[in-house]
Amino acid sequence: WILIVGFLLVVVGCRHQEYKFMEGKIYGTYYSISYESVLNYDTVIIKEMERVNYSLSMFNPRSVIAKINREESDRVDSLFVRMFIQAQKVYDATEGAFDITVAPLSNAWGFGFKNERLPSAEKVDSLLQYIGMDKLTLNGMRLIKAIGGVQLDASSIAKGLGVDLVADFLDKKGVKNYMVDIGGEIRVRGISSKKRAWRIGIDKPVDDVSASTRELQAVVAIEKGALATSGNYRNFYVVDGKKYAHTINPKTGYPVQRDILSSSVYAPTCMEADAYATAFMVIGKEKAQKIIEKDTELEACFVYLDDKGKQGVWMSDGFKKLIVSE
């Protein structure tokens, strides 16, 4: 038995590390994950991603957030707490530009769990009373609402959390090289199978709901950290020649009409990158630049329209260092 066990240990120790690749659909989008490991973790990775659906999906009637929105429960779980703490941080840093209480507005404009569209000005005004994370208090594992009617939409941070859950799992398993991509929200570590830093393309903000055509604005090379891009060129609709996009300004109640066309943010975690990318779409280029300058852990790239309607690109100094030519 000693000889057999010893032989098996030698065989396992000599097994070659190889990159495994998995892809599929989750959260209404697609994921692709690559990691270098002797062991196959695909089944556990899927379970890690599914945890977000059970906690934060507005579209899963049995999720924690769905029950809170229906005011059937005020109980939360550990994933909700993790999301809420990060959301509160970005809410404070952006003076309310990032706000998970936008669910009533998302529904009214047709981007939530209700099939509505084009609300009247009176309805938008009436919904603003339910908007604001200052109306929420997390007390242990209970979420207290200051007023009834407050509903939550975590879609602008939940994908990032899903990415982080997978990355954290791979870190715990000692995986040194991986890339986790869920709907364009990405976190990486180490190098790719090509023995170089992971290459990630940033799309040009070209209106295309079907995402059938893709042009790259830039390519970055990253060995650690997360990248998320937010824009209004995928999820939108047009009525009478006017475009209505999914990013809602929680201050005004209306879809964003700012100078930033796409916002790409590099951060330590994907939750941070995801949330800030959305917030910067809301506050615009000038205010976003000031936040980037203050926070040493954030870098960003904005594709924007100037005063003359011409497209421009702004990058923080740290983001410029990530750019590579392919």
Side-chain angles (χ1 to χ4, degrees), residues 161-218:
L161 175 55
V163 171
D164 286 337
L165 287 177
V166 175
D168 291 347
F169 168 77
L170 293 174
D171 285 339
K172 290 176 183 177
K173 292 300 180 180
V175 177
K176 302 299 183 184
N177 302 302
Y178 61 73
M179 181 177 76
V180 182
D181 178 351
I182 303 180
E185 320 298 8
I186 299 167
R187 184 166 154 186
V188 306
R189 182 179 180 183
I191 58 175
S192 72
S193 59
K194 296 181 179 180
K195 305 304 177 185
R196 65 183 189 184
W198 296 94
R199 262 42 170 191
I200 301 169
I202 298 174
D203 287 343
K204 284 186 177 180
V206 178
D207 286 356
D208 181 14
V209 174
S210 66
S212 57
T213 59
R214 187 185 185 196
E215 296 181 66
L216 293 182
Q217 184 73 47

Side-chain angles (χ1 to χ4, degrees), residues 63-239:
S63 74
V64 170
I65 209 168
K67 292 177 181 178
I68 288 172
N69 284 344
R70 295 194 301 266
E71 300 189 351
E72 294 177 359
S73 172
D74 61 3
R75 304 296 299 179
V76 299
D77 61 6
S78 60
L79 284 193
F80 184 98
V81 171
R82 181 171 173 178
M83 177 279 297
F84 188 89
I85 291 172
Q86 183 63 65
Q88 185 72 62
K89 177 184 174 183
V90 181
Y91 173 84
D92 293 339
T94 60
E95 298 179 347
F98 180 80
D99 194 332
I100 59 172
T101 66
V102 295
L105 293 170
S106 297
N107 284 329
W109 287 102
F111 299 107
F113 54 86
K114 293 183 179 179
N115 295 317
E116 301 177 18
R117 265 190 188 189
L118 297 181
S120 65
E122 291 77 16
K123 180 166 185 176
V124 171
D125 288 344
S126 69
L127 293 176
L128 288 176
Q129 64 181 307
Y130 304 113
I131 310 302
M133 283 194 70
D134 57 325
K135 297 176 177 61
L136 300 174
T137 302
L138 191 60
N139 184 3
M141 302 303 285
R142 295 178 62 233
L143 184 72
I144 311 301
K145 299 179 182 179
I147 59 172
V150 175
Q151 294 182 319
L152 311 183
D153 177 356
S155 58
S156 56
I157 194 172
K159 276 194 301 181
L161 175 55
V163 171
D164 286 337
L165 287 177
V166 175
D168 291 347
F169 168 77
L170 293 174
D171 285 339
K172 290 176 183 177
K173 292 300 180 180
V175 177
K176 302 299 183 184
N177 302 302
Y178 61 73
M179 181 177 76
V180 182
D181 178 351
I182 303 180
E185 320 298 8
I186 299 167
R187 184 166 154 186
V188 306
R189 182 179 180 183
I191 58 175
S192 72
S193 59
K194 296 181 179 180
K195 305 304 177 185
R196 65 183 189 184
W198 296 94
R199 262 42 170 191
I200 301 169
I202 298 174
D203 287 343
K204 284 186 177 180
V206 178
D207 286 356
D208 181 14
V209 174
S210 66
S212 57
T213 59
R214 187 185 185 196
E215 296 181 66
L216 293 182
Q217 184 73 47
V219 177
V220 297
I222 303 175
E223 292 186 6
K224 185 179 181 181
L227 182 73
T229 297
S230 183
N232 288 324
Y233 49 91
R234 290 282 188 265
N235 191 4
F236 66 91
Y237 58 85
V238 177
V239 177

Side-chain angles (χ1 to χ4, degrees), residues 9 19 22 31 56-57 76 101 104 111 137 149 160 167 180 182 191 234 238 271 276 304 313 321-322:
L9 288 174
Y19 281 82
M22 57 186 294
Y31 70 83
L56 302 176
S57 174
V76 299
T101 66
F111 299 107
T137 302
V180 182
I182 303 180
I191 58 175
R234 290 282 188 265
V238 177
M271 267 207 301
Y276 275 111
Y304 67 95
V313 179
K321 296 176 182 178
L322 304 175

